[in-house]
Amino acid sequence: MKVNVIGGGLAGCESAYQLLKRGFEVDMYEMRGVKNTPCHSTDRLAELVCSNSLKAQSVDNASGLLKYELARLDSIILKCAYECDVPAGGALAVDRLKLSQCVESRLNNFDGFRLIRKEVDKVDISQPTVIATGPLTSQSMSNWISSFFGGEYLNFYDAVAPIVDGDSIDYDKAFFAARYGKGGDDYLNCAMNKEEYLAFYDALINAERASLKDFEFDVFERCMPIEVMASRGVDTMRYGPLRPVGIKNPRNQEKPYAVVQLRKENGDGSAYNIVGFQTNLKFGEQKRVFSMIPGLENAEFSRYGVMHANTFLNAPKTLDAAWGVKGMRHIFFAGQLTGVEGYMESVASGLMAGINLARRLAGEDDAVLPPTCIIGRLQRHISTPSEDYQPMNANFGILPVLDNPPKDKKKRKFKYSSRAVGDLERYLKSIKEI
């Protein structure tokens, strides 16, 4: 049986491999070579656009745990990455060109693989298909996706606030309360006096920002970074996301001069989103400046804020946990287009999309990994209803909280990983070979 894969990036190549090794023929459509994107520099498959680092390798790191899971599921991208690695300390970094050559060679070794250089402007939904056109999907494909799902289900930029690990917040300073006294105490509040606020304001407006490419400038008209808001006046933030109206510090019953609010990122409160803090500051600057907020002095950031051009679906409304389109058995999406953030996260989505399409075509149940695994949690992230769905990367903050978590950070990370490894191994033994 023939399957179409649209997009020859990391996710598309991984999906293609998973289908080919299971005996399917794959026609891969890649527009580069006919039409380029604003940021790709070659027409090679599996081209790394930004950094050549695939992040940490150690399994006691969330990125390393993700690699362990990918290795157990036979990821071709990961195999090639290890064959093409370059020295990078504890990280896995690769020679970009060699990685592309390795992936292309492995796919071309399959008789059933055919690469078609063509821009696809609509999808034949009667054929089994994985759509993995990436965060810079062409306008014609974006138009088709918009018409397929409805325009409200497609976003064209990232405006992501930082996320901090819940157990790194100082709860002797932060407190739960609701603005105006309405609703439950759903927000965690970090109160500032005038001196603290002015020091924070000064650091924020003078912090170094990440550079933006030309095609990303329209982001600012649609969602304002916190540093841009601050630059419009010393009190602008106090009339915006930092307004202290209706808030009293329960420890002294005083009204704060300003208040930073954090919202639970997941049900168990293991991670918190800093409300209204979408930002374009460099990551190091985010750590320095946002750690000035009372209660966040020692905060550990599981995700920094980003702002850049990025086409992605409102996946919880459109996709299921297998990365398939809801209500359709044979149309799948994969990669950053689905709201995963990062190289290996994109690989993971492509891998699971390929596996699950193959399983469905063979009449088997979907493979959904345990929620204690990074991939399993990403599967739930893309399919769980959310009022403000945003891209997510691998981090321990998205995993269910530990029973009796160790206070020591290293021991805590090791426990997250060992739990995931054990649950994954038990799952793989319980399910028909995937």
Side-chain angles (χ1 to χ4, degrees), residues 303-410:
R303 183 186 74 190
Y304 286 106
V306 294
M307 298 196 72
H308 56 81
N310 183 7
T311 301
F312 66 97
L313 293 169
N314 188 335
K317 292 185 179 294
T318 55
L319 304 181
D320 56 36
W323 267 283
V325 174
K326 289 182 176 180
M328 302 186 75
R329 293 285 297 171
H330 60 279
I331 303 295
F332 284 71
F333 282 77
Q336 286 187 248
L337 187 59
T338 67
V340 293
E341 189 75 42
Y343 287 148
M344 301 314 292
E345 291 85 347
S346 293
V347 170
S349 70
L351 180 143
M352 295 307 298
I355 287 175
N356 279 313
L357 177 52
R359 291 180 67 83
R360 288 184 182 181
L361 293 174
E364 298 170 0
D365 293 336
D366 293 341
V368 179
L369 303 193
T372 51
C373 298
I374 296 292
I375 295 176
R377 202 62 174 185
L378 290 175
Q379 288 182 280
R380 288 157 179 83
H381 174 72
I382 63 122
S383 59
T384 300
S386 171
E387 292 184 4
D388 183 26
Y389 179 69
Q390 294 290 348
M392 181 59 68
N393 62 0
N395 64 85
F396 286 133
I398 65 175
L399 299 181
V401 294
L402 296 165
D403 294 329
N404 302 314
K407 292 184 178 181
D408 181 80
K409 180 180 176 181
K410 290 184 178 179

Side-chain angles (χ1 to χ4, degrees), residues 198-250:
L198 292 176
F200 172 74
Y201 164 80
D202 185 66
L204 181 60
I205 62 173
N206 290 296
E208 189 175 2
R209 304 177 188 182
S211 61
L212 287 172
K213 298 182 184 296
D214 291 343
F215 61 90
E216 295 171 337
F217 285 148
D218 65 338
V219 165
F220 294 100
E221 298 303 317
R222 304 174 70 176
C223 192
M224 189 184 300
I226 189 68
E227 62 272 12
V228 173
M229 182 184 297
S231 69
R232 296 187 174 184
V234 66
D235 286 323
T236 304
M237 292 187 295
R238 295 181 63 242
Y239 288 93
L242 275 71
R243 66 188 184 279
V245 177
I247 297 288
K248 283 188 178 180
N249 190 329

